Amino acid sequence: MTEEMPSLRCIIATLFFALLLPPGSFPATTLSPSFYDETCPTVFSIIRGIIEQALLSDPRIGASLLRLHFHDCFVNGCDASILLDNSATIESEKEAAPNNNSTRGFEVVDAMKIALEFECPGIVSCADILAIAAQEAVNLAGGPSWLVLLGRRDSTAANRTLANLAIPAPFETLDVLKSKFAAVGLNTSTDLVALSGAHTFGRAQCTIVIERLYNFNGTGKADPTLNATYLETLRKVCPQGGNGSVLLNLDPTTPNTFDSNYYTNLQAQEGLLQSDQELFSTSGADTIEIVERFSSNQIAFFESFVVSMLKMGNISPVTGTEGEIRLSCRRVNMDYTSSNKWSSS
């Protein structure tokens, strides 16, 4: 089988599964995979090329870009609000607890925007850049490709308060995770398990898991769902009182590859994050069967991941005449224009 076949199968699956979805599963928007065919036909190659270049020095950048899209979509929809810096009118989501000193890749998104403004000025939104970058990052790591629906516009506001409340956290129980997925219109079984599979690549800091290793839920002991051998390995890397910024692989087997090993790890009680292990170790959960299925059938995982990514990417998009196409992903156009006028004067 050629390398192109898995991507082709998932593109076909995108269309097939979309036809199977009941009415209302996708919001009625103007999003389309051909949105930039005439106005910016090189958008995909430009974004892919910048990711390829960034991967040469930063193997975790793909996972970081995918995470930006996730965290953006869970807060008032996929509108690039996560990219806005603090200003006189903006309280940035970057400083919300789930994002502060955690989300990254903003400079790579800046590079994409600069290149696209040179090639197609005023055309490609920052929200669509995140959606395309997520797809390209997954594919470059060995995962599926899909027809990204495009035509989002950018928000002119951010919501740090909602970011603190809505984004799923690594220390949450299955019930809490389900409630957060349901709140944005994603289902609490397949969407939850498939999208959690994004943790098949990337890294997490020791500070995220330290309580789980030494004082789980205030017990003074480790999380009992952790494999004992894996626990000792983690404790060597993350000792009590150690450097909390040390990085751990989310997938200890294939840390830079997008594959189904994430689910095999959960079966072995080697999920790095509590929120991951909850999918398999919560007694009687409907997610257990899905973890088992994805572990044994990578194609099933890829196909479900594609459909769930399409659903997530369609959470409350800004379209039509709403919002704007930002000139800089970090600032709304009013602030950007004012800053440039001041600089010129």
Side-chain angles (χ1 to χ4, degrees):
M1 182 178 290
T2 65
E3 290 183 1
E4 290 78 14
M5 283 302 293
S7 294
L8 177 61
R9 292 185 64 159
C10 285
I11 290 173
I12 293 171
T14 302
L15 303 175
F16 178 70
F17 276 84
L19 290 172
L20 291 181
L21 289 170
S25 294
F26 290 94
T29 70
T30 57
L31 300 190
S32 164
S34 60
F35 190 84
Y36 296 114
D37 282 5
E38 299 297 326
T39 56
C40 194
T42 56
V43 59
F44 282 90
S45 61
I46 287 172
I47 290 175
R48 187 180 182 92
I50 289 173
I51 297 174
E52 288 175 325
Q53 186 64 33
L55 284 167
L56 296 176
S57 58
D58 184 2
R60 53 191 286 234
I61 193 60
S64 298
L65 292 169
L66 176 58
R67 188 164 178 248
L68 282 179
H69 185 44
F70 272 58
H71 283 215
D72 181 44
C73 291
F74 269 80
V75 182
N76 287 340
C78 309
D79 60 2
S81 59
I82 193 172
L83 302 178
L84 289 170
D85 286 342
N86 283 319
S87 73
T89 58
I90 298 294
E91 188 177 52
S92 177
E93 293 170 18
K94 294 177 182 180
E95 294 180 14
N99 298 328
N100 195 29
N101 297 318
S102 177
T103 48
R104 58 191 300 275
F106 299 106
E107 294 80 6
V108 176
V109 175
D110 290 340
M112 295 171 184
K113 183 61 174 172
I114 290 169
L116 288 167
E117 284 301 306
F118 180 81
E119 182 75 12
C120 321
I123 298 297
V124 182
S125 69
C126 300
D128 277 347
I129 289 174
L130 290 181
I132 296 171
Q135 186 272 142
E136 295 293 350
V138 167
N139 187 237
L140 284 168
S145 182
W146 60 92
L147 299 173
V148 184
L149 299 178
L150 301 167
R152 300 168 190 81
R153 289 168 66 83
D154 299 321
S155 69
T156 56
N159 193 331
R160 186 186 299 175
T161 299
L162 186 59
N164 278 317
L165 297 172
I167 298 172
F171 47 78
E172 289 176 334
T173 66
L174 183 58
D175 284 344
V176 175
L177 295 172
K178 282 175 173 281
S179 70
K180 290 187 174 183
F181 270 66
V184 295
L186 297 172
N187 71 54
T188 60
S189 52
T190 304
D191 288 339
L192 171 57
V193 179
L195 292 175
S196 295
H199 289 164
T200 185
F201 68 158
R203 313 286 187 271
Q205 299 178 47
C206 284
T207 188
I208 299 297
V209 299
I210 198 74
E211 294 294 316
R212 191 174 182 224
L213 304 184
Y214 297 99
N215 189 29
F216 182 65
N217 288 343
T219 61
K221 299 178 182 179
D223 183 344
T225 65
L226 269 170
N227 175 290
T229 302
Y230 185 49
L231 171 62
E232 290 309 310
T233 299
L234 294 176
R235 282 178 165 176
K236 289 177 181 177
V237 180
C238 303
Q240 282 185 299
N243 183 354
S245 64
V246 170
L247 297 175
L248 298 159
N249 293 324
L250 286 168
D251 178 350
T253 51
T254 51
N256 298 321
T257 303
F258 196 96
D259 56 27
S260 62
N261 283 344
Y262 164 84
Y263 301 103
T264 306
N265 296 336
L266 299 187
Q267 290 176 304
Q269 295 183 291
E270 293 182 359
L272 178 63
L273 308 179
Q274 176 189 344
S275 56
D276 291 331
Q277 196 60 52
E278 290 272 334
L279 302 177
F280 186 74
S281 295
T282 301
S283 180
D286 59 353
T287 53
I288 295 173
E289 178 275 329
I290 304 171
V291 169
E292 292 173 339
R293 175 156 48 90
F294 289 169
S295 174
S296 63
N297 187 339
Q298 182 165 281
I299 291 176
F301 163 46
F302 281 5
E303 290 175 346
S304 292
F305 183 81
V306 165
V307 173
S308 295
M309 283 294 292
L310 286 169
K311 290 173 68 176
M312 186 186 75
N314 277 272
I315 297 173
S316 304
V318 180
T319 59
T321 58
E322 300 297 315
E324 63 185 19
I325 305 298
R326 286 186 216 140
L327 300 175
S328 165
C329 290
R330 293 176 179 266
R331 288 179 283 180
V332 298
N333 287 343
M334 182 179 295
D335 290 346
Y336 181 80
T337 304
S338 299
S339 175
N340 279 1
K341 286 181 179 178
W342 183 88
S343 297
S344 298
S345 62

